[in-house]
Amino acid sequence: MAAIDGAAITARALKEQGVEYVYGVVGIPVTTIAIECQKVGIKYVGMRHEQAAAYAAQATGYMTGRLSAALCVSGPGMLNAVAAFANAWSNCWPMLLIGGASDSDQRGQGAFQEAAQLETIRPFAKYAQVVDSQARIPAYIEQAARAALYGRPGPTYLEYPAEVILSSVEEETVNWKPAAPPAPRPMADPAAVAAAVSALKTAQRPLVVVGKGAAWSRAEDEVREFIDRTKLPYLASPMGKGVIPDDDKNSVAAARTFALQNTDLVFLVGARLNWIMHFGLPPRWAPNVRVIQLDIAAEEIGTNVPAEVGLVGDIKAVMGQINAELEKEPWQFGQENDWRDALKEKITTNQANTEPMLNADDVPMGYYRPLRELRDAMPKDAILVSEGASTMDIGRQVLNNYLPRTRLDAGSFGTMGVGPGFAIAAGVVNPDRVTIDLEGDSGFGFDGMEVEVACRLNLPIVFVVFNNNGIGGGPAKLDPSRPLPPNALYPLAHYEKVIEAFGGDGYYVEKPEEFREALDKAISNRRPALINVVLDPVARRRPQQFAWLTR
Ligand code: ADP
Ligand code: MG
């Protein structure tokens, strides 16, 4: 008879459920879980903050389609991870958070790092349990894996009181569980599939919106086939970009506002009508826009606008059903009609308006010119991580994605601070591709110390900091005689020195050509680099038709 402790049982069970990566910050009482994970061949990545660890775990889950975990200590450690955990809930991304906790028999006594962890995380968790028996650890992990990955994905939480990790039981008493099979891919009701195709045929001004649900479902082949067959105009949501390459000729991204406002029938493919999509309501959409909605979460059908056709199922499976229907009876949206002409005209005008800014030689630079340099320098298979308000918003329009799951950004939750954690995950999972982490100076500040992890692991990540001295652009210099504006950050800060402290390559650039030269070098070197790009602190986005959030 051999004894085994909770940490070793956990590592074996994680391995059995297909976990390849655990990101964490070790300490009492979870350190041995990380050590045991390494013994069974799970890659353990030590991060600098629990929040970044949880961001990395969820990004890994989204990119790989498999469960990935974050590990943190009790009390403050676990609570540090909660905002990131909620980000996974908001994005519908899978992950497992393993939280240490104080010893059960000290509860209520003011134990070391004792906190109401389970209660805190519950509203954001698809599944949350206290692990109360070592024999059942594999069962809890298998349940958490299924909850995270099946149906609409989401984050799951397991809480480990210290004694469950540290004490041992006889191996024979452990109730081992086999790996949960891959997530089921339910098909939609065939009648709904037929109704969806008929509805599409009756639209005057149809529009397809491809969301990150399609990316998660790995439905890129089916979605591309559908657009190729039907030639329907489509828009990608921010992280839906790349499911179909952004340069596809049916993309109407450059006429987004116009397309949303004027379509009479939208087909939502794994995208919610939330704030990002302006709720599907006027003034950003036509009143009474017809909706065909494809989602794996039945309860999502009809949110904000009643759906004329609800397709409940997995996107890869259901788009396959739709393509089969179109194979039987081929149909295409006409090549010459008012809708296509109007969209084309709008695209041409919008592009012409942006063109001078993309080519501007001004120093200090605005947003558009350096984004153009980045667009031209980025390899087509690069992973792009992006956050920061204007940096991300303008970047989304200028930068292209050609492959699915190559864009990770502030997402449904609009979270700042996700960048470095996401970028480290991208680098860990794709060591043979370049990751660009495009940050505003404010965004970078949240989790900037994570560049140490990139250097320690020698990951091919190029951090690009668009530096405008503040949250939305701060003062050009500090004036000690007046109170500092609340959005001010230290002017002309040398963020590149942060990475130099750990042996990474730092660049400080002020001119477009300097930026391009630094980018080309940093990308071809395939090692950690940070390019600090000085921007005009008063640079803004091109004037928009609607104010932010359309109040
Ligand atoms: P975006 O921000 O790109 O618009 P959202 O996160 O708002 O995307 O929406 C994604 C939707 O995709 C969610 O409602 C989610 O339930 C759905 N979804 C996730 N996985 C699948 C899947 N395999 N099949 C169908 N729908 C899915
Ligand atoms: Mg800024």
Side-chain angles (χ1 to χ4, degrees), residues 336-414:
E336 281 172 34
N337 53 59
D338 293 350
W339 181 227
R340 245 189 238 287
D341 291 346
L343 287 166
K344 255 184 225 150
E345 198 186 309
K346 197 73 198 171
I347 290 171
T348 312
T349 329
N350 284 349
Q351 284 173 342
N353 287 341
T354 316
E355 205 55 26
M357 291 151 90
L358 291 172
N359 298 327
D361 294 320
D362 306 335
V363 175
M365 296 184 281
Y367 284 98
Y368 288 82
R369 177 63 193 272
L371 285 169
R372 189 199 97 190
E373 298 298 339
L374 179 56
R375 178 193 71 192
D376 296 346
M378 256 170 65
K380 280 201 157 182
D381 67 349
I383 319 279
L384 176 69
V385 178
S386 184
E387 65 175 321
S390 300
T391 301
M392 181 176 73
D393 287 343
I394 305 171
R396 188 173 55 241
Q397 293 161 11
V398 178
L399 304 171
N400 291 325
N401 295 86
Y402 300 96
L403 295 167
R405 300 169 294 281
T406 55
R407 180 183 172 89
L408 304 167
D409 67 20
S412 307
F413 216 27

Side-chain angles (χ1 to χ4, degrees), residues 87-104:
N87 188 69
W89 157 78
S90 184
N91 273 347
C92 311
W93 284 358
M95 66 168 283
L96 169 63
L97 178 67
I98 297 176
S102 45
D103 282 287
S104 306

Side-chain angles (χ1 to χ4, degrees), residues 367 388-391 439-443 465-474 487 489 495 535 537:
Y367 284 98
S390 300
T391 301
E439 299 269 344
D441 51 342
S442 163
V465 178
F466 273 15
N467 188 355
N468 62 0
N469 306 345
I471 303 173
N487 64 324
L489 297 173
Y495 292 104
L535 293 194

